[in-house]
Amino acid sequence: MTGGSGGIGGAVARRLAADGMAVVVHYAGSAAKAEAVVESVTAAGGTAVALPGDVAEPTQMTGLFDAVEERFGGVDVVVNTAGIMLLAPLAEMELEAFDRMHRVNVRGTFVVSQLAARRLRPGGALINFSTSVTRLQQPDYGGYAATKGAVEAMTLIMARELRGRDVTVNAVAPGPTATPLFVEGKGEELIARIAAAAPLERLGTPEDIAETVSFLARPAGHWINGQVLFSNGGIA
């Protein structure tokens, strides 16, 4: 799984390991965080390994897939949690910031999805990550939502392109989720207001999102295909 060292990524790694999967925790920056996720998985009796790479570079990602196949014999589930979010009104956003998001969120998803389409075994699943912001139309999120709209388009079309392969392709679209990245820079009043927006009146947790991914990754979710699942407590 890409972005496995992040808050949601780490929770997904632990949940899939609890399902009995051998998990590859991909990371781009923080080896220490990725290794901490691996240690938490192995401490619970699971199997995990951390591997680096730039999701937007086909050569590096091909090497990662090669390493996974050599170590574990094949690829059954690919989860794309890697992504970055930079916020500003469209009229004020620097093009460099938009290009950075596009490189990771769109090009990175394209590269990894393409490899997944070629490598996933029958019965497998590709799970990309969108965001509930694509439906909320919140100011300052235009550039970020645009990249995730592209992810949704690729996901839905690829599900139809893989007809006959017995491979599902879906996207998970989290709402506001209590990760360190979300909380950073926000006061308690703002966080409380965001939490109250959902009918369930709380923020999501990384574990909430991980449960959605787990469902899509297991045989129980294999009849779900070509969908965007909004895991957001009803906020959108």
Side-chain angles (χ1 to χ4, degrees):
M1 58 174 298
T2 67
S5 63
I8 291 176
V12 170
R14 288 185 287 271
R15 184 65 180 86
L16 296 183
D19 290 336
M21 300 183 195
V23 177
V24 175
V25 180
H26 157 270
Y27 65 94
S30 178
K33 289 182 179 179
E35 290 295 345
V37 173
V38 169
E39 289 174 9
S40 68
V41 168
T42 56
T47 301
V49 62
L51 294 174
D54 181 343
V55 291
E57 287 301 327
T59 301
Q60 293 185 32
M61 288 298 100
T62 297
L64 187 145
F65 272 76
D66 289 343
V68 172
E69 290 182 341
E70 182 177 351
R71 184 180 295 251
F72 298 112
V75 180
D76 296 299
V77 176
V78 174
V79 184
N80 260 324
T81 67
I84 60 174
M85 179 174 64
L86 305 172
L87 304 180
L90 282 178
E92 300 172 15
M93 175 170 277
E94 297 289 340
L95 186 58
E96 185 271 339
F98 181 75
D99 285 344
R100 283 176 58 201
M101 285 194 292
H102 189 279
R103 186 177 190 280
V104 177
N105 300 354
V106 181
R107 176 176 163 136
T109 297
F110 174 89
V111 168
V112 175
S113 295
Q114 187 176 70
L115 286 165
R118 295 169 178 172
R119 307 279 191 115
L120 279 166
R121 297 188 287 198
L126 167 61
I127 303 162
N128 289 324
F129 262 67
S130 182
T131 172
S132 291
V133 174
T134 58
R135 303 296 187 271
L136 294 173
Q137 293 89 45
Q138 290 175 292
D140 297 342
Y141 284 81
Y144 175 67
T147 67
K148 292 302 186 175
V151 168
E152 290 187 12
M154 286 190 288
T155 299
L156 302 184
I157 291 171
M158 180 172 281
R160 280 73 187 176
E161 292 175 342
L162 297 188
R163 172 182 292 273
R165 286 277 308 279
D166 191 26
V167 169
T168 61
V169 186
N170 294 289
V172 174
T177 305
T179 64
L181 183 63
F182 172 81
V183 173
E184 183 179 353
K186 295 182 176 71
E188 291 185 8
E189 181 180 345
L190 176 58
I191 293 173
R193 188 163 69 248
I194 294 172
L200 296 180
E201 296 188 331
R202 67 172 178 86
L203 296 175
T205 67
E207 289 72 27
D208 289 326
I209 312 306
E211 289 292 339
T212 305
V213 174
S214 171
F215 171 66
L216 292 174
R218 290 182 285 115
H222 202 62
W223 191 235
I224 309 299
N225 189 30
Q227 305 297 321
V228 179
L229 269 67
F230 288 83
S231 184
N232 60 24
I235 196 171

